Amino acid sequence: MRKFNIRKVLDGLTAGSSSASQQQQLQQQHPPGNREPEIQETLQSEHFQLCKTVRHGFPYQPSALAFDPVQKILAVGTQTGALRLFGRPGVECYCQHDSGAAVIQLQFLINEGALVSALADDTLHLWNLRQKRPAILHSLKFCRERVTFCHLPFQSKWLYVGTERGNIHIVNVESFTLSGYVIMWNKAIELSSKSHPGPVVHISDNPMDEGKLLIGFESGTVVLWDLKSKKADYRYTYDEAIHSVAWHHEGKQFICSHSDGTLTIWNVRSPAKPVQTITPHGKQLKDGKKPEPCKPILKVEFKTTRPGEPFIILSGGLSYDTVGRRPCLTVMHGKSTAVLEMDYSIVDFLTLCETPYPNDFQEPYAVVVLLEKDLVLIDLAQNGYPIFENPYPLSIHESPVTCCEYFADCPVDLIPALYSVGARQKRQGYSKKEWPINGGNWGLGAQSYSEIIITGHADGSVKFWDASAINLQVLYKLKTSKVFEKSRNKDDKPNTDIVDEDPYAIQIISWCPESRMLCIAGVSAHVIIYRFSKQEVITEVIPMLEVRLLYEISDVESPEGEQAPPLPTPVGSANPQPIPPQSHPSTSSSSSDGLRDNVPCLKVKNSPLKQSPGYQTELVIQLVWVSGEPPQQITSLAVNSSYGLVVFGNCSGIAMVDYLQKAVLLNLGTIELCGSSDPYRREPRSPRKSRQPSGAKMSRKLSLPTDLKPDLDIKDNSFSRSRSSSVTSIDKESREAISALHFCETFTRKADSAPSPCLWVGTTLGTVLVIALNLPPGGEQRLLQPVIVSPSGTILRLKGAVLRMAFLDSTGCLMPPAYESWKEHNVPEEKDEKEKLKKRRPVSVSPSSSQEISENQYAVICSEKQAKVISLPTQSCAYKQNITETSFVLRGDIVSLSNSICLACFCANGHIMTFSLPSLRPLLDVYYLPLTNMRIARTFCFTNNGQALYLVSPTEIQRLTYSQETCENLQEMLGELFTPVETPEAPNRGFFKGLFGGGAQSLDREELFGESSSGKASRSLAQHIPGPGGIEGVKGAASGVVGELARARLALDERGQKLSDLEERTAAMLSSADSFSKHAHEMMLKYKDKKWYQF
């Protein structure tokens, strides 16, 4: 283990300090003989490794669906080439095709643990699902034809591939090679037909005769092809284009769906006209005319049941006059027709049946419907067709995610508490049956700690998710918009119009897991503080504060800039009425020229509010309009349960509120915050200069949590950053905004001999300021005496906007902010009296909570450009690291890993880096992903134990780990998709059917399609590409004990290969030696009797 001390002081100073005077000070503080205490650092670069763990959420832009009825596994393909596999709840898997081309079709090799995917780039891929991380075994690229449809009969190794030209090719799934047998379109259709029949839209074999293939062409022609005689038995023609075809299980009838909203049912042996034509949604006209045309029926399925009528299930086909009607799935069963409305358009659907055999009664029990943004499972066995409750975490995007926070190693009682209040929110009316997609097995959950993800959404909702052991399950949902009046109509919208849409969208979440205090900042410049309670309460009047934050320089500069600003008088909590807005010391009162002034953006309800168990509103704080200008968005937020304070800032200034006394303690513009030591020359600016008319809308887009990042120009998917020469250009006005806030108990000034409560404030110009907090004693006094707040005069500087701050004790251990453990506050007074008398308890993980005078501390500050470790109370720079020169840090977190701590950073150039603390040694630097959109920047976060996440698409969360230990254990934690299951017995043919040959006819496809009878396919037609899922795939998957076995097996395989090669070479040498000896013998016989001179 290496020891790191602060030895290269002078080297560090030349790089690290911001001014020459500071360098001199530091040199005086650390003369060569008087070194700072050494801190042992245990983290080394070998503790770090980056890898993706799991992806949660709904597959973004889905395009294909498949189901294995024996393994009970569902597969979904997407337009970006992703593959998501779902088994029992908790068994999920994500794979990606390298090309990124859209998945057009998926076909399971039923009960084989394999899947064929067909892509829009005319490639077919065979996936091996028998390993925890599925891999491609073979690929086949069609060079001359576009693939449009695939069909793999049950228990067959020959895959039929239909193309845009109307031809059908046959692929051997085992070797992924083409057969020489081809069905050409011109042989399939009538010779007299003058037009091309269009692409192949359907292929299936007759359930009762594998030798007969039904081919559907887009134009409306259907052909029954005899595979043995290589000719068409029957041809069926209809005027309308075909979208899909389905067989009756007896193989005597099939049904087609058409582009005019009709279904045609055909008898196999009567090709002249359909037996029946149905327009499910067409208005039947009285005089026997054809019903009016409807929208196309995109898919139809025909499923039989033993006891009764068959099911005909279809999507689409609504009449054209149903404008604004939602997409529908229609279930026709006997004489009843049920029209099931869906929330989104239908991508595909599949009927789940009891049997995998197409020639048996199908007995459908459910329909899985893949929608554009949801997956719905309908129970066909219950009246009214109720839906199953979806156990997968597919509702992340129910309202768009606007921010994320991730907490690992939470208190153990937290998840049960959130689950118990969330269980009451569940909807009723679901199917009583268990979720039928239940294949696969769970992995071994090696992690013992609990993890929680919190997502903030555009509609103002906040969701808490249990993310322990690489799973995800929703625990509880909070609707923050409940405290505001909803506008009934557009005229009644006086205040919400500063935001075009989503006025309640969540921008920042500040949460204290120990005290369960939650604080959110919304897009309409509002802050809401919540307490957790298991009791239901009715709040008569919602406590509310209005704050007027200004960015303005007073006409007369105050000479005593260093002094504390005048503090507004604290307001006692005895009066429950909303408190009048606190006016700013340097502002004029409301404007007389009719401009909107002192008005918040949203209106808080004035009626009593029933608050269910869970998070309950403690206080609503709103920033108000100033002289016709809307309040600026909140860029930073912090709450502290031990001090009873919440603080927030934006590009105008900072405000601190005592939420126990419901009083504004601090309301300062950024200029006054810095006082006379402000290093930046700011021009006085009045809000009236660029004011907007009262009715003006201000478009607010949620681009970043701070919404203050300099303009990011997207050029060829790379982000370039606009900079001014000296400081970060924040926006057109170069305002300094509050970008980081941190409550702590530390040394506020150089002369301090003991730590005290304070607030550290970081700004977008790299300034760090310290505000001292003087708190009254606990108990009753805390509610009666005011909290005194005063700037300490301490100022530190960094390059770039300050992102994160944390504090270490003298041993290098992290000191979390003080907190008060959670206790139920909605209990009768008597019980609570004793609790109230307990003093505020700052909790710290440092060895001794009472810091001795000799013990120093370290402040860790991370900005967009660099990280510094400042020694306290001396305020000297102990360590410094320039993180990036050409890019900037988007997210920095101080996290614990392997009983130590480190700084983790994600840069806009796609690099993920970690640094040791306190010495800031680089431990990991990996190029992970480029910042292709602001969603990644807005949602990326690191947490303890080497975990991180971000929103990879609008509907999916990608989790990753930077811990080497987690990477090693990942294989064991992942679930198994494939489980050995007996294939059900084939249906009994019965005595008479067997006697008279009425049962299913089998076909020797090997004889028909094999190379011996059909010859070789043209080489230029398709190219075979071996996949990485062979030996390489196993190598990649190998880790842990399983990995050792796999590696041993691989070594044996490779050794076996080498031995067989050697054997072959030996055999070749033997045979050549043998032939040589034969030749030698012949020569000897030839010349035996000749003399030497006769040669």
Side-chain angles (χ1 to χ4, degrees), residues 520-537:
I520 64 99
V523 75
S524 296
H526 62 280
V527 171
I528 310 177
I529 302 151
Y530 290 92
R531 274 187 197 273
F532 185 84
S533 171
K534 292 181 180 177
Q535 313 286 324
E536 185 178 287
V537 292

Side-chain angles (χ1 to χ4, degrees), residues 236-548:
Y236 315 84
T237 50
Y238 192 70
D239 304 344
E240 294 293 334
I242 288 177
H243 283 279
S244 75
V245 185
W247 278 102
H248 185 284
H249 86 273
E250 288 175 350
K252 292 173 185 169
Q253 283 190 336
F254 61 88
I255 188 168
C256 301
S257 76
H258 300 277
S259 57
D260 63 345
T262 58
L263 296 171
T264 53
I265 299 176
W266 302 78
N267 275 347
V268 170
R269 294 174 187 273
S270 7
K273 67 179 181 48
V275 185
Q276 197 181 353
T277 303
I278 313 164
T279 312
H281 295 281
K283 289 176 184 167
Q284 297 297 328
L285 303 172
K286 289 177 184 172
D287 48 4
K289 285 182 185 171
K290 274 180 76 176
E292 290 174 4
C294 294
K295 292 174 186 173
I297 294 175
L298 301 174
K299 185 171 181 180
V300 65
E301 293 210 336
F302 200 2
K303 300 295 179 188
T304 52
T305 58
R306 228 179 219 98
E309 300 276 349
F311 280 90
I312 295 175
I313 301 164
L314 56 117
S315 63
L318 293 178
S319 64
Y320 280 102
D321 60 2
T322 52
V323 180
R325 186 153 176 199
R326 293 195 292 184
C328 293
L329 186 84
T330 307
V331 180
M332 298 164 72
H333 185 223
K335 289 180 181 173
S336 78
T337 300
V339 181
L340 310 173
E341 286 199 342
M342 302 290 156
D343 290 338
Y344 307 101
S345 53
I346 297 170
V347 175
D348 198 358
F349 73 89
L350 286 173
T351 312
L352 309 190
C353 301
E354 295 291 353
T355 177
Y357 293 94
N359 58 352
D360 194 7
F361 283 100
Q362 297 297 286
E363 305 296 351
Y365 58 88
V367 183
V368 58
V369 190
L370 178 64
L371 305 175
E372 209 172 40
K373 293 184 178 177
D374 203 359
L375 184 77
V376 176
L377 203 59
I378 297 157
D379 185 351
L380 289 179
Q382 263 179 269
N383 286 338
Y385 305 132
I387 63 167
F388 287 87
E389 185 176 6
N390 197 323
Y392 306 132
L394 301 183
S395 63
I396 290 169
H397 63 288
E398 189 178 16
S399 167
V401 176
T402 51
C403 64
C404 264
E405 289 298 335
Y406 190 8
F407 300 86
D409 222 0
C410 301
V412 287
D413 57 345
L414 204 47
I415 287 175
L418 287 164
Y419 181 80
S420 67
V421 294
R424 305 172 197 215
Q425 301 177 327
K426 295 220 168 152
R427 275 176 49 195
Q428 302 301 312
Y430 289 113
S431 167
K432 304 280 189 291
K433 291 187 183 163
E434 290 219 345
W435 184 254
I437 302 162
N438 54 14
N441 279 323
W442 293 305
L444 303 167
Q447 292 175 353
S448 54
Y449 54 88
S450 55
E451 297 171 73
I452 290 176
I453 294 169
I454 306 180
T455 52
H457 299 264
D459 65 353
S461 60
V462 175
K463 285 184 184 173
F464 290 77
W465 305 81
D466 176 4
S468 311
I470 71 170
N471 285 323
L472 193 69
Q473 183 186 6
V474 71
L475 290 170
Y476 171 72
K477 179 180 173 181
L478 168 70
K479 291 180 180 172
T480 65
S481 59
K482 278 202 310 193
V483 298
F484 299 111
E485 296 278 6
K486 300 276 194 305
S487 53
R488 301 261 152 71
N489 52 18
K490 286 192 176 171
D491 306 330
D492 182 32
K493 248 173 93 175
N495 297 338
T496 61
D497 66 1
I498 79 154
V499 179
D500 292 338
E501 52 195 27
D502 302 326
Y504 311 113
I506 308 290
Q507 275 192 300
I508 311 173
I509 296 167
S510 176
W511 187 53
C512 172
E514 288 79 12
S515 67
R516 304 185 190 172
M517 288 299 294
L518 172 72
C519 196
I520 64 99
V523 75
S524 296
H526 62 280
V527 171
I528 310 177
I529 302 151
Y530 290 92
R531 274 187 197 273
F532 185 84
S533 171
K534 292 181 180 177
Q535 313 286 324
E536 185 178 287
V537 292
I538 291 174
T539 307
E540 291 300 324
V541 179
I542 298 165
M544 177 183 104
L545 277 177
E546 290 176 359
V547 177
R548 186 180 170 96

Side-chain angles (χ1 to χ4, degrees), residues 691-720:
R691 68 186 173 214
Q692 297 170 315
S694 179
K697 275 204 176 189
M698 185 174 154
S699 173
R700 296 213 161 163
K701 294 182 179 68
L702 282 155
S703 60
L704 272 180
T706 62
D707 227 41
L708 277 167
K709 289 281 174 238
D711 305 326
L712 293 159
D713 314 315
I714 304 177
K715 290 173 188 159
D716 312 320
N717 279 347
S718 66
F719 278 68
S720 65

Side-chain angles (χ1 to χ4, degrees), residues 127-175:
W127 289 86
N128 174 17
L129 309 183
R130 288 175 179 244
Q131 53 198 63
K132 287 192 170 185
R133 292 218 153 170
I136 292 173
L137 291 169
H138 300 281
S139 299
L140 194 65
K141 167 84 174 155
F142 280 78
C143 305
R144 295 194 309 216
E145 297 197 52
R146 311 282 333 250
V147 174
T148 55
F149 194 88
C150 298
H151 169 63
L152 181 68
F154 179 45
Q155 293 182 323
S156 162
K157 68 171 186 180
W158 298 96
L159 174 78
Y160 301 108
V161 181
T163 69
E164 200 171 44
R165 288 189 188 173
N167 303 325
I168 291 176
H169 302 279
I170 296 160
V171 176
N172 181 332
V173 175
E174 286 173 2
S175 62

Side-chain angles (χ1 to χ4, degrees), residues 738-951:
I738 309 296
S739 57
L741 295 162
H742 190 89
F743 285 105
C744 56
E745 200 134 325
T746 187
F747 302 94
T748 51
R749 298 175 183 85
K750 286 183 187 179
D752 283 2
S753 58
S756 58
C758 55
L759 170 73
W760 284 54
V761 181
T763 75
T764 48
L765 296 187
T767 309
V768 176
L769 305 125
V770 184
I771 294 173
L773 309 173
N774 192 342
L775 296 154
E780 288 298 318
Q781 293 302 307
R782 175 63 186 84
L783 299 175
L784 300 173
Q785 293 183 28
V787 176
I788 310 296
V789 180
S790 56
S792 65
T794 296
I795 292 191
L796 305 165
R797 310 240 178 271
L798 280 87
K799 266 196 293 186
V802 177
L803 300 176
R804 191 76 59 205
M805 295 179 277
F807 291 83
L808 315 180
D809 65 14
S810 57
T811 63
C813 291
L814 190 65
M815 295 173 16
Y819 62 81
E820 201 167 67
S821 293
W822 178 81
K823 59 177 184 283
E824 181 61 68
H825 64 284
N826 289 332
V827 288
E829 279 294 308
E830 300 82 51
K831 288 184 192 173
D832 208 21
E833 207 60 49
K834 289 174 190 171
E835 296 288 325
K836 268 190 180 176
L837 294 170
K838 281 191 178 177
K839 283 190 135 188
R840 176 180 54 78
R841 191 166 57 94
V843 177
S844 173
V845 288
S846 58
S848 60
S849 55
S850 61
Q851 293 278 334
E852 290 171 28
I853 297 169
S854 61
E855 281 200 343
N856 62 341
Q857 291 182 4
Y858 297 98
V860 181
I861 307 168
C862 174
S863 80
E864 292 177 320
K865 288 290 189 181
Q866 60 180 193
K868 280 187 180 180
V869 173
I870 310 289
S871 182
L872 299 175
T874 58
Q875 295 179 17
S876 57
C877 178
Y879 300 97
K880 176 187 153 185
Q881 178 68 250
N882 286 328
I883 299 168
T884 173
E885 290 296 334
T886 53
S887 185
F888 55 100
V889 178
L890 285 162
R891 177 82 184 206
D893 285 294
I894 290 99
V895 290
S896 64
L897 176 72
S898 306
N899 298 319
S900 189
I901 50 165
C902 65
L903 166 66
C905 298
F906 172 55
C907 286
N909 60 11
H911 283 254
I912 287 177
M913 302 185 231
T914 61
F915 302 91
S916 72
L917 286 175
S919 72
L920 295 173
R921 266 180 311 125
L923 296 170
L924 173 81
D925 184 352
V926 178
Y927 176 72
Y928 175 67
L929 88 163
L931 179 64
T932 48
N933 59 45
M934 294 317 294
R935 183 184 57 251
I936 298 170
R938 196 172 63 234
T939 56
F940 200 104
C941 45
F942 297 96
T943 185
N944 298 331
N945 299 336
Q947 308 290 344
L949 68 78
Y950 62 96
L951 219 68

